[in-house]
Amino acid sequence: MCQQQCIGILHRWFLLELDMLNMLSSLTRPAFIIALFIVSMPSMSAWFSATGQAVVINGDKQTARQQATQEAIKQALLFAGASVTSVQQIANGLLLDDQLEVRAMGEVSSVELIDEVYQNGIVSVSIRADIFAQDSKCSAADYTKRIATTYFPIRYEGQAANGQVHKLGKEVALKFQGIMNKMTPGLNLSHIEPYVFEWHRANLPLQAASLANKTNAQYVLTVTLDDISVQKQRGSALTFYKGDQYMRAFDYTLGLINGATGEQLFQQTYRSQAPWDFALTAQVDVGSQAFWKSLYGQNIVRQIRTSIADLEENALCEPTMGRVLAVANNQAQINLGRNHKVQAGDTLTLFNVKQISDTFGQQYKQFVLHPTTMVVKQVFASTATIAPADNSYLGNVQPNDYVARQ
């Protein structure tokens, strides 16, 4: 077990190093550096060092220091295998206490401030944390959950006129996919439909079910860019030499819906702003390196990482669900396979979903479980063959019924 954990840590370390090569290409880009110091056997307690960065806005060093410290702690915890809910107890650059809401996958015994540096409007905070990471407690986390979405709509399109950033929703969706598929091996944003869909106006359960079925995904990610407006901030008496500065909002609402049941598992609104370094009349290429290396682009990346950590916390231990593709010879073919980490011998629950109505016409979903546990017999790249564990008759099972790993 210890050997497997060590290999897992080294593998994640290697992936992180590859990501860092791009992240450290710009000084102004919010980044983190993770270094493994000590691994004590067999408890797997380890010291992790991390550096987080944040932009100092309007001379507010305290807020920037808190953001940088939170970023460093979050990345250290996630790298160690913990799953962070919140990191908010900050005082003078250090944790006020150890009140970190961490799921059973990890524990923090201490956090120490190593360094704090201000340069070119950026604060870099280095910390080290003693983290004890444990194995995942839910078997559902063994499987990869697929997520589908569309390009992210800009709720008020007129706000995109400043900088001509009308394609921002498309580029943020693509950036979200790239970051998510590196950060979360248990969640995979497998498909982005190449059009903008106005999720804030849609019948979410109906549209989510349609998109999930079309893309062979379990979950649907709904994101709406609520506010990308630009506001002028006049220079203060102390910063008169800088002149007026433009700040641009990046507020968005993110939700995660189970495509099979229509249930909304998670919804959160995120609000932030960052300096807009481009001329208001310029036509900004939101897919360029210049944009993503800007302070505003880096703020978007930071918000994306926060959202992904929240999604992982809320979805990782949810049951992994797949659909029945075909039934023959007392066996069923399902749309989960090796790409989802399914293995021969795994046990699954078979069920179907029915719509029922009460006397007031309110619709409800009813889950009808098959009485026999199913066992995976053969595994292919994206499909698998399952059969009843007790060799009983597989009656009343049809395509588009569901299986679940709980």
Side-chain angles (χ1 to χ4, degrees):
M1 177 65 70
C2 178
Q3 183 179 9
Q4 293 177 346
Q5 290 175 322
C6 291
I7 292 174
I9 288 178
L10 291 175
H11 176 65
R12 296 176 68 184
W13 171 265
F14 176 71
L15 293 178
L16 183 61
E17 286 292 336
L18 292 179
D19 194 30
M20 283 168 53
L21 293 177
N22 293 325
M23 293 178 62
L24 297 179
S25 60
S26 171
L27 176 64
T28 61
R29 183 171 182 174
F32 59 89
I33 305 171
I34 305 279
L36 178 62
F37 284 144
I38 304 171
V39 178
S40 59
M41 305 300 181
S43 65
M44 291 306 295
S45 176
W47 280 100
F48 293 85
S49 174
T51 299
Q53 294 183 336
V55 180
V56 180
I57 299 176
N58 296 330
D60 189 353
K61 291 186 176 181
Q62 181 178 1
T63 298
R65 181 172 61 238
Q66 291 177 356
Q67 292 175 348
T69 307
Q70 291 175 8
E71 177 70 11
I73 295 170
K74 282 185 179 181
Q75 298 305 332
L77 288 168
L78 289 172
F79 176 75
S83 188
V84 186
T85 300
S86 63
V87 183
Q88 297 176 342
Q89 304 298 322
I90 310 293
N92 298 323
L94 287 172
L95 286 180
L96 182 63
D97 50 44
D98 288 337
Q99 293 180 2
L100 303 181
E101 296 181 16
V102 183
R103 190 168 279 187
M105 289 184 287
E107 295 179 355
V108 180
S109 60
S110 63
V111 178
E112 300 176 4
L113 176 67
I114 298 176
D115 199 9
E116 183 178 322
V117 178
Y118 294 86
Q119 186 176 9
N120 297 331
I122 304 290
V123 58
S124 300
V125 176
S126 299
I127 60 96
R128 69 170 187 169
D130 188 11
I131 301 172
F132 179 82
Q134 302 174 354
D135 290 338
S136 172
K137 299 300 182 182
C138 58
S139 59
D142 295 341
Y143 285 4
T144 299
K145 299 176 175 66
R146 287 176 300 188
I147 302 173
T149 190
T150 67
Y151 295 156
F152 302 160
I154 298 173
R155 189 163 190 173
Y156 303 103
E157 188 64 30
Q159 295 176 347
N162 289 329
Q164 300 298 307
V165 294
H166 301 283
K167 294 183 178 179
L168 183 63
K170 170 186 175 181
E171 295 300 331
V172 174
L174 295 174
K175 181 67 70 173
F176 199 107
Q177 182 181 41
I179 296 175
M180 184 174 192
N181 291 347
K182 289 181 180 179
M183 280 184 62
T184 59
L187 301 177
N188 177 253
L189 185 50
S190 58
H191 191 91
I192 299 178
E193 283 289 276
Y195 55 79
V196 173
F197 189 85
E198 296 185 347
W199 293 108
H200 56 286
R201 298 179 179 177
N203 181 328
L204 290 182
L206 180 63
Q207 295 298 331
S210 176
L211 181 58
N213 188 60
K214 176 182 177 181
T215 59
N216 206 23
Q218 177 176 349
Y219 295 114
V220 170
L221 181 71
T222 65
V223 177
T224 299
L225 305 186
D226 299 320
D227 187 2
I228 57 169
S229 62
V230 179
Q231 301 291 333
K232 180 189 290 187
Q233 289 193 348
R234 298 188 179 279
S236 65
L238 297 177
T239 60
F240 66 92
Y241 57 91
K242 293 184 178 181
D244 295 336
Q245 186 178 37
Y246 290 96
M247 302 293 294
R248 189 160 205 159
F250 185 69
D251 298 355
Y252 62 101
T253 299
L254 176 147
L256 189 68
I257 300 176
N258 189 319
T261 66
E263 177 189 7
Q264 186 155 43
L265 300 177
F266 175 74
Q267 186 177 45
Q268 179 70 44
T269 296
Y270 301 86
R271 304 184 188 281
S272 64
Q273 63 176 351
W276 182 249
D277 298 333
F278 307 93
L280 296 183
T281 57
Q283 186 169 347
V284 180
D285 181 2
V286 291
S288 67
Q289 288 293 318
F291 173 78
W292 289 107
K293 289 181 179 180
S294 70
L295 296 180
Y296 187 74
Q298 289 309 303
N299 175 61
I300 295 176
V301 170
R302 184 167 58 251
Q303 297 306 315
I304 288 174
R305 290 183 177 276
T306 298
S307 299
I308 292 171
D310 291 341
L311 285 173
E312 185 178 39
E313 180 70 23
N314 285 274
L316 196 61
C317 285
E318 287 291 319
T320 301
M321 297 173 59
R323 289 187 296 111
V324 173
L325 301 175
V327 182
N329 300 322
N330 213 44
Q331 294 183 332
Q333 304 296 320
I334 61 174
N335 67 342
L336 300 176
R338 191 179 303 112
N339 294 339
H340 309 87
K341 302 180 183 177
V342 176
Q343 297 181 8
D346 288 351
T347 57
L348 303 173
T349 301
L350 182 63
F351 66 97
N352 61 56
V353 181
K354 294 182 178 180
Q355 290 278 0
I356 60 174
S357 301
D358 61 16
T359 55
F360 300 99
Q362 181 70 38
Q363 295 286 322
Y364 297 92
K365 291 185 182 294
Q366 182 181 42
F367 297 85
V368 182
L369 305 182
H370 194 276
T372 302
T373 298
M374 307 300 292
V375 177
V376 177
K377 297 296 185 181
Q378 289 182 294
V379 182
F380 307 96
S382 58
T383 63
T385 302
I386 62 174
D390 58 2
N391 295 318
S392 61
Y393 176 62
L394 197 60
N396 299 323
V397 177
Q398 300 176 358
N400 292 322
D401 284 350
Y402 294 93
V403 292
R405 168 79 162 181
Q406 296 178 303

